[in-house]
Amino acid sequence: HYKNILAMKKFLITAAAALAAIGASAQSYLLNNPSNTSYFGIRASYDMTCPGKMKTDLGKTKVLGIGSGASLGIVYNQPLVANLYIEPGVTFYYHTESIEPEYLSSIAKKTFQNRSLRKFGAEVPVMFGYHFDFTPSVSLSVMTGPVLNVGISNDYYITTKEVAGHKFHTSGTMYNDYGMNRVGCDWRFGAGLTFSGTYYVAVTGDVGMCNMLKDNNANASLRENGVKFTLGYNF
C-alpha cells in the first residue's frame, strides 16, 4: 500500500507539472506566438456603402441611399512585437448607390427606371492589429487603421419610365458635374478569424473622415461610411 501511495503521489505531481506547463505554453502561444511570420493574402469582399446626409447651412438632406458592391485585393501581414502586426494592402472595388428621388425632383419615385451611381476605385488600407492564437490553426484578430480611398470613376445614370410618349435619360460624372472629390480617407475597424492556418473571414466597418464635396462656398459636406464582409486566403 505504501508503494502504491508513493506511485500515486508521483503520478499526480507529474500530471500537475504537465498541466502547468501546457497552461503556460498555451498562454504564451495565445499572446506571443513564436511561429509568427510575414505572409501575403488575397481578400474578396461584399461591400455595403452607407452614405450620410448632405449638410448645408439650410440643414441636412438625404442625397444618396445605401448601396452594395464588391472588392478584390491583396494584403501583406508583417509581425511587429509579440502578436502585434501591421497589414498594408491594395484593393480595387466596384460600388453602387441609389440617388434619392426627392433630391432629383418632386416627381413620384415610381416614375424613375434608374437613378444610380456606379463607382470604381482603389483603397489602400494600413491596418494595425493583434491576433489571439487559440490553437496552431485558429486565431482571432482585431484591427484598426486608416484607409486611403482613390476614385477612378463615379458616374450617375438617371432614366425615367416612358410617360405620355416621353422618356428622359441623362448620365455623367459626379467628379465634374457635381463637384465630388476623387480622394478621401476613412478609418477602418473590425475583427477577423483565421482557421486551418490559411482561411480567413472578417467583418469591418469604415467611418468617413473627409468631406467628399468640393463646394466649400456653400458649406456643404457629405461623408460616406461602409461595411465589408470579407473572405480570404493566406499564403
Side-chain angles (χ1 to χ4, degrees):
H1 294 291
Y2 180 71
K3 291 183 179 180
N4 291 338
I5 292 174
L6 288 178
M8 181 63 69
K9 286 184 177 180
K10 185 177 180 180
F11 172 78
L12 292 175
I13 292 172
T14 303
L19 289 174
I22 292 172
S25 176
Q27 184 177 5
S28 174
Y29 191 84
L30 178 70
L31 301 177
N32 186 5
N33 189 343
S35 301
N36 286 329
T37 58
S38 59
Y39 60 83
F40 285 93
I42 57 174
R43 301 289 185 262
S45 303
Y46 166 74
D47 303 341
M48 289 182 60
T49 52
C50 309
K53 292 183 178 181
M54 183 176 67
K55 299 179 181 179
T56 66
D57 292 337
L58 300 177
K60 298 180 180 180
T61 305
K62 189 175 182 181
V63 178
L64 302 175
I66 294 176
S68 63
S71 55
L72 180 66
I74 60 173
V75 298
Y76 176 73
N77 188 291
Q78 175 62 50
L80 296 176
V81 178
N83 286 357
L84 180 70
Y85 65 87
I86 182 172
E87 187 178 88
V90 177
T91 299
F92 291 93
Y93 65 82
Y94 177 78
H95 291 166
T96 63
E97 294 175 348
S98 61
I99 305 173
E100 292 298 313
E102 294 80 5
Y103 179 73
L104 296 173
S105 71
S106 59
I107 63 178
K109 179 179 180 179
K110 63 182 180 180
T111 304
F112 290 98
Q113 181 174 321
N114 184 26
R115 43 183 179 83
S116 64
L117 296 185
R118 304 171 191 179
K119 304 191 294 184
F120 176 70
E123 295 175 339
V124 183
V126 181
M127 296 291 101
F128 292 88
Y130 201 95
H131 57 87
F132 302 91
D133 298 344
F134 300 105
T135 72
S137 61
V138 177
S139 66
L140 173 68
S141 58
V142 291
M143 76 288 288
T144 188
V147 181
L148 178 67
N149 193 317
V150 180
I152 298 174
S153 65
N154 187 358
D155 299 328
Y156 62 87
Y157 294 85
I158 302 171
T159 305
T160 63
K161 297 178 181 178
E162 187 171 324
V163 178
H166 297 283
K167 190 174 184 178
F168 172 80
H169 171 77
T170 184
S171 62
T173 171
M174 295 294 290
Y175 296 133
N176 296 331
D177 297 350
Y178 288 91
M180 292 197 74
N181 289 314
R182 288 182 179 271
V183 180
C185 186
D186 306 328
W187 193 269
R188 179 170 296 172
F189 56 91
L193 181 68
T194 301
F195 55 97
S196 297
T198 54
Y199 300 102
Y200 177 82
V201 294
V203 178
T204 57
D206 293 354
V207 178
M209 298 191 296
C210 297
N211 180 11
M212 299 309 295
L213 298 178
K214 295 179 181 178
D215 191 4
N216 295 322
N217 294 329
N219 294 322
S221 64
L222 176 66
R223 288 174 170 78
E224 295 189 297
N225 308 312
V227 178
K228 288 180 177 289
F229 301 91
T230 303
L231 297 176
Y233 184 87
N234 301 325
F235 297 96

